[in-house]
Amino acid sequence: EAGVVQSPRYKIIEKKQPVAFWCNPISGHNTLYWYLQNLGQGPELLIRYENEEAVDDSQLPKDRFSAERLKGVDSTLKIQPAELGDSAVYLCASSPGQKGGSTDTQYFGPGTRLTVL
Amino acid sequence: DAKTTQPNSMESNEEEPVHLPCNHSTISGTDYIHWYRQLPSQGPEYVIHGLTSNVNNRMASLAIAEDRKSSTLILHRATLRDAAVYYCILRDVNKFYFGSGTKLNVKP
């Protein structure tokens, strides 16, 4: 079974440019997460989807970040415009979304490493 | 959000057991304790989880203190492939906080 797929793996852009990341979760997984990971730190949740609904986007900087999950399958995270401080790894994860979410296992993609010059 | 405290780094010799501690003194009754690890240049991967009782799987064991304010991830025989950052996470339905984790170095 294929894991979580992310593209691109690496992206270098100049500040003020837009950038988009794509994620294809594991087939059948209802829940999708986007995380940001700065160097030397643990991942921080940006947004969580249950099917196509964003159920937790409290940590998403909405002035420049946006996300969508059309049809409740793959998802896109966009930054416009990018700033120097956005340089980080952007991780996507999915989980089956079982009842009793406390035991739901998340499966992570390899991430997209963004460098903003 | 409930937080966890882990040592920044630990070192182990290959083929020896490793005990990775985690303190979570503010854990609530419904929080599950999850452990994930992140190998270099990869996304995190699930290791194990538990609520109150000790748990074993093919990757590791999880020992949970009786008051649930701390837990220990046990790797029974560390290999070079176990070198990674290990995250102890408290999980309720709506929260999942990673923290900074413990970087495990395994010496041959």
Side-chain angles (χ1 to χ4, degrees), chain B residues 28-76:
Chain B
S28 71
T30 55
D31 284 337
Y32 277 75
I33 301 159
H34 288 245
W35 285 80
Y36 280 67
R37 72 180 186 180
Q38 188 171 21
L39 279 65
S41 300
Q42 295 187 26
E45 64 173 349
Y46 168 80
V47 177
I48 200 166
H49 76 273
L51 183 62
T52 56
S53 303
N54 295 343
V55 184
N56 300 297
N57 67 19
R58 63 174 181 81
M59 288 182 71
S61 295
L62 177 59
I64 301 173
E66 198 168 329
D67 63 5
R68 300 210 327 126
K69 294 186 177 181
S70 65
S71 61
T72 302
L73 179 71
I74 303 165
L75 306 179
H76 296 285

